[in-house]
Amino acid sequence: MKKFFPYALIGFLFLLPTEKTKAQAAAEKLPEWALGPFLRPAGVNPIISPNTSTTFLDPLSGKYVDWESNDTFNPAATVKGKEIVVLYRAEDKSGVGIGHRTSRLGYAYSTDGLTFKRKAEPVFYPGNDSQKELENPGGCEDPRIAVTSDGTYVMFYTQWNKKVARLGVATSKDLIKWTKHGPAFAKAYNGKFYNMFTKSASIVTQLVNGKQVIAKVNGKYLMYWGEKFLNAATSDDLVNWAPALDAEGKIKELIKPRKNHFDSDLTEAGPPALLTDKGILVLYNGKNASGDNADKNYTANTYAAGQVLFDAKDPEKVIGRLDKPFFVPTESFEKSGQYPAGTVFVEGLIFHQQKWFLYYGCADSRVAVAVYQPAKR
């Protein structure tokens, strides 16, 4: 008697999961030195959205403001005890568009890195302090945070007085009470770059016994910073920084936009960099140009995320760079809001429970998370 193989069973076999998961397939496209793939957890994002019910007594105006009513985006992240803490940029409704409102930093916390509770008031904002002239009325924007081995949190953020953007430094022991130290480059080269437009700092960290802490490279603290290009800067005290200069005494551009690539318009430093056995890994935000210089595979003006590897012995030397972004806007909340061209703006990267959590801003309007599990790569 002939044995018939049911056609229904054939169809069923074709529907069986293959050995290679979506994550594994994505990982195969990344070089060994890169981090990822980062996947969006189902049913979680966005993790932080605007809240119209919280108010805050602004110390400068003396009035209550709905400080996070318009947009919540561009987050820093770090670990505090058993919790992940995200400090996110929040804007009120005081202005008419991007760059015209006041930004303050809100505090959100989580044990699993996916579901967050929030404090009702901001923990960092323009006030009657030494930085008032540099932070009012635009506020405090786009933080990045890392922690030293002794538990001191170091935050880099943009001071915006609506005249000149400056890269500011602040420190804290609890992420709530902060000491503002002023512009990172205020004292460098006799104040040569004090009035230069500066922002976006990615300080170098490393994993020590499973904890991500600030590291030294060649005996100094090191960060990569910049928006139109990436530059390096070094420090002995984490507060006063000196940018790397070229032979003419100008800011040295280590990487910059590439024609017809996803980062054809700008290359902006992302979350804290990572010292690995392959080199120094920097995640950065690339903006696609419009017109002839754009990468036609992506929407004009889209922000997507790239990775670049620097030599640990020569931190200004590039030894690897992705030609395609490892993370791009795909979800509706990443392509609608203040910036509808599409934005995944990476600023927070932390190692927690054997996983990497990447926190990012969505279209200048929301906060979301993506996760990479090295064990599954």
Side-chain angles (χ1 to χ4, degrees), residues 46-336:
I47 57 172
I48 298 173
S49 297
N51 186 342
T52 58
S53 65
T54 50
T55 58
F56 166 68
L57 181 59
D58 176 30
L60 297 180
S61 67
K63 300 178 181 179
Y64 281 93
V65 295
D66 50 353
W67 65 280
E68 58 178 348
S69 60
N70 207 81
D71 297 282
T72 52
F73 57 115
N74 292 8
T78 189
V79 175
K80 179 182 177 182
K82 295 182 179 180
E83 293 180 340
I84 290 177
V85 174
V86 168
L87 295 194
Y88 58 96
R89 176 180 170 184
E91 290 186 341
D92 56 30
K93 294 182 179 295
S94 62
V96 294
I98 296 176
H100 295 282
R101 304 183 183 100
T102 299
S103 292
R104 302 172 180 89
L105 303 185
Y107 184 111
Y109 54 101
S110 168
T111 55
D112 64 6
L114 304 178
T115 55
F116 283 80
K117 296 180 179 179
R118 290 147 70 170
K119 293 186 179 296
E121 295 189 345
V123 295
F124 200 87
Y125 45 83
N128 286 304
D129 53 40
S130 63
Q131 303 305 306
K132 177 180 177 179
E133 291 186 6
L134 303 185
E135 298 176 358
N136 185 54
C140 308
E141 303 179 347
D142 300 352
R144 279 87 162 161
I145 297 176
V147 64
T148 64
S149 57
D150 68 356
T152 297
Y153 295 96
V154 182
M155 179 169 69
F156 301 93
Y157 67 103
T158 301
Q159 301 180 296
W160 177 230
N161 59 7
K162 297 190 179 180
K163 296 177 182 177
V164 178
R166 293 179 176 87
L167 179 61
V169 186
T171 55
S172 175
K173 282 292 187 178
D174 62 4
L175 297 169
I176 298 173
K177 296 179 181 178
W178 290 89
T179 299
K180 295 180 180 179
H181 299 283
F185 304 139
K187 297 180 181 179
Y189 311 107
N190 297 315
K192 180 178 180 179
F193 301 109
Y194 180 79
N195 289 318
M196 176 181 167
F197 189 105
T198 58
K199 63 186 303 186
S200 307
S202 172
I203 192 170
V204 176
T205 62
Q206 68 180 141
L207 287 182
V208 179
N209 297 323
K211 184 178 180 181
Q212 185 184 4
V213 296
I214 294 173
K216 285 187 175 181
V217 178
N218 298 333
K220 290 183 176 291
Y221 297 111
L222 174 68
M223 71 174 174
Y224 296 90
W225 66 277
E227 180 184 37
K228 284 292 185 180
F229 54 82
L230 252 60
N231 175 257
T234 56
S235 173
D236 293 317
D237 60 8
L238 293 171
V239 172
N240 299 290
W241 293 81
L245 305 182
D246 61 20
E248 298 178 355
K250 298 179 181 179
I251 295 293
K252 189 173 184 180
E253 299 178 0
L254 305 182
I255 74 164
K256 51 189 176 181
R258 299 173 292 182
K259 184 178 180 180
N260 302 135
H261 284 71
F262 74 96
D263 52 10
S264 49
D265 191 61
L266 61 77
T267 53
E268 184 169 354
L274 190 62
L275 178 62
T276 73
D277 58 355
K278 303 292 191 301
I280 302 171
L281 181 62
V282 179
L283 277 60
Y284 69 94
N285 298 289
K287 181 183 179 183
N288 194 24
S290 58
D292 293 340
N293 288 335
D295 185 333
K296 304 303 181 183
N297 293 303
Y298 308 98
T299 303
N301 302 313
T302 291
Y303 278 85
Q307 299 187 37
V308 59
L309 188 69
F310 292 90
D311 190 322
K313 295 182 179 179
D314 182 2
E316 296 177 12
K317 179 182 178 181
V318 174
I319 55 177
R321 185 175 178 182
L322 299 183
D323 285 330
K324 295 185 178 297
F326 75 95
F327 203 61
V328 300
T330 59
E331 307 303 306
S332 59
F333 53 84
E334 297 166 354
K335 296 183 287 185
S336 61

